[in-house]
Each structure stands twice: as C-alpha cells, then as structure tokens.
Amino acid sequence: MGERKGTNKYYPPDFNPEKHGSLNRYHNSHPLRERARKLSQGILIIRFEMPYNIWCDGCKNHIGMGVRYNAEKKKVGNYYTTPIYRFRMKCHLCVNYIEMQTDPANCDYVIVSGAQRKEERWDMEDNEQVLTTEHEKKQKLETDAMFRLEHGEADRSTLKKALPTLSHIQEAQSAWKDDFALNSMLRKRFREKKKAMQEEEERDQALQAKASLAIPLVPETEDDRKLAALLKFHTLDSYEDKQKLKRTEIISRSWFSSTPGPRAGSSKAGSVLKKLAQNRRCAPVGSPITVEDLGIVRRRSREALESLRLAAETPKPGEPWVPEGNTQDRPASPPDCSPETAETPRSRGPPGQAGKRQDRPRSPPGPSQEAAASRDTPHPGTLSSSLVADYSDSESE
C-alpha cells in the first residue's frame, strides 16, 4: 500500500543504505510522525473509540458510544500475561480530561477519572439469557460423569419451563410467515385511511372558504354533532318588526312608476297625475274639492256663454215665470260650471201631481233646502265626475 502513494521515493546523494538503513533513520524521524512525539515517555497517540455511553464530569454533557478521540495510550500493568493499557483524552465540549483503562478479567473498560458511566448493564442469569460455560465447568464436564449427568438433568428441567414461551414465540412467528399477504393487507388499509383523510381535508377546506376562516379545524366528534343539532339561529328583528318595516316601505313608495316613458307627452301626463294625487292627498277630508283645486281651467266661447244665459232666462214648462227684476231670489250659478251643474235637480213625480206642484207657491229657499241641493248636486272632485275636460269648442285667446 505504501508503494502506491508515491511517498519517500527520493533518496538524497549522500544516502548510504549500510549506514542509514532507511530514510526515516536518515531524516531522524519516526514512521508515525507526530503520533510518536511522546514515545520516549512510553506514550503513543492513537485513535480511541468510546466503548459505551458516559456523562462528562466537567460539562455534564452526554457522550455517546462510538465517539472518537485522539487519546494517549500507555501501559500501566499486567493481568497475568495480558497488559493493561490506560487511555487519556480531552472532552470535545470542555477542558476536562477523561481517563479509562482496560479490564482483561471482565473483558470490559473501566473509567478511572473524569466521567461517569451510563449504567445499561444487566445480569445475564437474571435476564434468563444463555450463559457461557466457564472454563472450570468445561474441565469438570469432561472428567466427571456424575457431574455431567446432573448438568444434563438441570438443562432438561430448564427446557421444560421455557417450552410454553418458546411455543408462543413460534406461533407468533408463523403468523408473519406470509409476507406478501401481510404487506398487501397493510397497503390496502393505508390506502383506505389516506382516502378518508383526503376527503376530510377537502371538507375542511370548503368550510374554511365558505366561512372565511384561516385557522386549522379539529376533527369532528359525536358531541359536536349533538351540540350543533340543538342550536337554533334567529334573526335580530321579530316578525312584527318585519311587517312594520314592510308597511312603512309600501306607504312611502310612490304610486306611479319612475321609469321614463317613450314619449314626452306621456311623461307630462304622468307628472300631472302625480301632482293631482299629491294635492288630493294633502286636501282635508271634510272640505269639498273644487275645479280650481284640481288645476283644471275650463274656457267657454262667447256663443256658449250666450246660449247658457238665454237658457237661464227662459222658464221651463211647469215652472212659474219670474221677471227679470226679481232675480235676487234665484241662486246664481257659478260661471265655471256647466248647465247641468248649474240647474238644481228636481224630483220627478207622477204626472197628476204636476198641476198641484205648479199651483203650490214656491217658498223662499231655506237652509234645509240649500243643504239638500248641495247633497243632490254632484261636485266636480268626486269619484263619479270625470277629471278630463272637453276643450273641443274652446277658443285660444
């Protein structure tokens, strides 16, 4: 192996093999170089591996089995002909030094100073493990027949006691004999569990997206389902409050739709009707509505006015003639009303009573007759009268 590395191949000119023997002696150095710097004191630097777990006394840290150190090795005694070596090393976590030495009698290592052993030893006999036969027993078994017989009986009794445990172990091992079936069953169970976990995760994500939650959800239990079934959610407003709010909206809503019409005339008519409805809503209940309140102005021509005046002056059959001078007793008709409205309706009776009614003198109009006339006379603002005026025979002034 040393020849492959290509080291120490140079021989100086003054090298004499008979005098120097080797290049190490020529350079006055040891083959182990720095590892043999204390060789004069009987100390050799080696690579030591920790045989078991220990606790360092300096830093109280745990040092595991198998950790390697550069240790100083020296011989401190013999066990019979077997030498006893001591190893001194520095802890890699502090400045404490640990010393250990071999124990050939027990085939073990003993801590001399600087550390404590982590006790993990046990008695093989108490642990019911197979003990190795000692050297003295081996010689006695070979030479003494009675001891060999007694030793065999003790082994058979030990076997009889351990037989149930051994049979149970064999049955447990036979159950795991078919590796393929066991592996298939385990993989099937794993796939089912993984599928259930994925479905639960999808449900949780849907619930988090619906409720805008950013917290992880815990698994659902039966108690949670029962508690959720008992909960009932109610709105803050009662039924009466909802009905009251709905009525308020209906009352405050406009009677006419606010959608723009296709023509300007329809929008104008809608605004007029809306104005009429507002005036009627604002008018008191007891006061009669006149034509001026509705905003209708009726204009008559001169011929219509003269015909109305002549009709008023000409007496009708069945009525007494009243001269023109006595016009203060006749109630004046309003100029804005039609002839039908100006006339006071009379109750029509049988024809035989006409003469009696003509012969009977007319009494001056009293308050009762005026009230009856006002009841019989239809007002322009009532529902029976039409709100549309006839402008066919009117003239523009």
Side-chain angles (χ1 to χ4, degrees):
M1 296 295 291
E3 288 78 6
R4 286 192 308 106
K5 295 180 180 179
T7 57
N8 299 329
K9 294 298 183 181
Y10 175 73
Y11 291 91
D14 57 345
F15 175 75
N16 187 1
E18 296 178 357
K19 178 182 177 181
H20 300 99
S22 65
L23 288 174
N24 291 326
R25 188 178 296 177
Y26 173 80
H27 292 291
N28 195 17
S29 64
H30 197 273
L32 298 178
R33 298 295 187 271
E34 292 296 326
R35 293 172 57 188
R37 65 179 181 271
K38 295 183 180 181
L39 195 60
S40 60
Q41 304 174 13
I43 297 174
L44 180 65
I45 307 298
I46 64 167
R47 194 69 174 167
F48 181 79
E49 186 174 342
M50 194 64 65
Y52 41 74
N53 298 324
I54 64 171
W55 300 93
C56 179
D57 289 342
C59 56
K60 305 299 181 182
N61 287 321
H62 177 265
I63 300 175
M65 181 176 58
V67 180
R68 296 180 179 180
Y69 293 95
N70 292 328
E72 298 178 357
K73 174 186 174 183
K74 65 179 179 178
K75 184 179 178 181
V76 293
N78 290 324
Y79 175 74
Y80 298 106
T81 57
T82 305
I84 299 175
Y85 293 102
R86 181 173 293 182
F87 307 94
R88 187 173 184 268
M89 66 208 81
K90 182 180 175 295
C91 177
H92 66 287
L93 299 173
C94 62
V95 296
N96 183 44
Y97 279 89
I98 302 171
E99 292 187 3
M100 303 178 68
Q101 69 180 21
T102 58
D103 186 9
N106 298 317
C107 299
D108 200 0
Y109 287 88
V110 179
I111 297 176
V112 178
S113 63
Q116 294 180 0
R117 180 172 182 173
K118 184 179 180 181
E119 194 60 48
E120 295 176 343
R121 292 173 291 184
W122 61 88
D123 191 358
M124 297 180 65
E125 187 175 358
D126 295 341
N127 202 24
E128 297 182 358
Q129 291 183 346
V130 178
L131 300 176
T132 57
T133 307
E134 298 179 359
H135 184 65
E136 296 177 356
K137 284 187 178 181
K138 286 183 179 180
Q139 292 181 353
K140 202 169 183 179
L141 285 172
E142 292 175 358
T143 58
D144 193 349
M146 293 298 295
F147 182 78
R148 186 167 56 248
L149 182 60
E150 292 174 359
H151 194 272
E153 290 293 333
D155 291 343
R156 280 189 289 271
S157 63
T158 304
L159 177 62
K160 189 180 292 185
K161 291 179 182 179
L163 191 60
T165 306
L166 294 175
S167 61
H168 180 70
I169 294 173
Q170 289 177 356
E171 291 176 0
Q173 290 179 350
S174 63
W176 295 89
K177 189 174 182 179
D178 192 358
D179 299 337
F180 178 77
L182 292 173
N183 192 15
S184 301
M185 182 177 63
L186 183 63
R187 291 176 65 85
K188 182 179 179 181
R189 189 180 303 173
F190 175 74
R191 285 194 297 269
E192 293 175 355
K193 188 175 180 181
K194 185 177 180 181
K195 185 177 180 181
M197 290 174 63
Q198 289 179 354
E199 293 177 356
E200 185 177 359
E201 185 177 358
E202 291 177 358
R203 288 196 300 267
D204 293 347
Q205 290 179 357
L207 181 59
Q208 288 177 347
K210 182 178 180 181
S212 299
L213 296 176
I215 56 176
L217 302 179
V218 298
E220 185 180 2
T221 60
E222 189 65 27
D223 296 338
D224 296 339
R225 297 190 187 94
K226 292 180 180 179
L227 183 60
L230 295 175
L231 292 177
K232 291 183 179 179
F233 297 97
H234 299 280
T235 57
L236 298 177
D237 299 334
S238 62
Y239 177 76
E240 289 78 7
D241 296 339
K242 290 182 178 180
Q243 293 296 325
K244 187 175 181 180
L245 181 61
K246 189 180 294 185
R247 293 191 190 99
T248 307
E249 291 178 356
I250 293 174
I251 291 172
S252 62
R253 190 188 306 163
S254 176
W255 289 7
F256 305 97
S257 60
S258 61
T259 55
R263 292 172 298 177
S266 61
S267 63
K268 186 176 182 181
S271 63
V272 172
L273 291 176
K274 187 174 181 181
K275 184 177 180 181
L276 293 176
Q278 290 177 355
N279 295 335
R280 184 172 183 180
R281 189 186 304 171
C282 298
V285 179
S287 62
I289 301 175
T290 61
V291 179
E292 289 79 2
D293 295 338
L294 295 177
I296 300 176
V297 179
R298 305 184 65 178
R299 298 177 180 176
R300 298 289 183 177
S301 61
R302 297 177 181 176
E303 295 177 358
L305 294 175
E306 291 179 359
S307 62
L308 288 174
R309 185 171 57 80
L310 292 175
E313 293 177 357
T314 305
K316 292 185 179 181
E319 293 183 358
W321 179 80
V322 180
E324 294 180 359
N326 299 332
T327 57
Q328 64 273 10
D329 297 336
R330 184 186 304 174
S333 61
D336 294 339
C337 298
S338 61
E340 294 82 6
T341 311
E343 293 180 358
T344 303
R346 301 177 182 86
S347 61
R348 296 180 182 180
Q353 298 178 0
K356 298 179 181 179
R357 191 173 298 171
Q358 291 177 2
D359 298 336
R360 184 184 305 172
R362 295 183 61 183
S363 60
S368 61
Q369 294 180 2
E370 292 179 359
S374 63
R375 284 196 305 266
D376 295 340
T377 305
H379 294 281
T382 57
L383 297 176
S384 60
S385 62
S386 175
L387 299 177
V388 182
D390 187 10
Y391 299 98
S392 59
D393 51 350
S394 62
E395 295 180 357
S396 62
E397 296 179 358

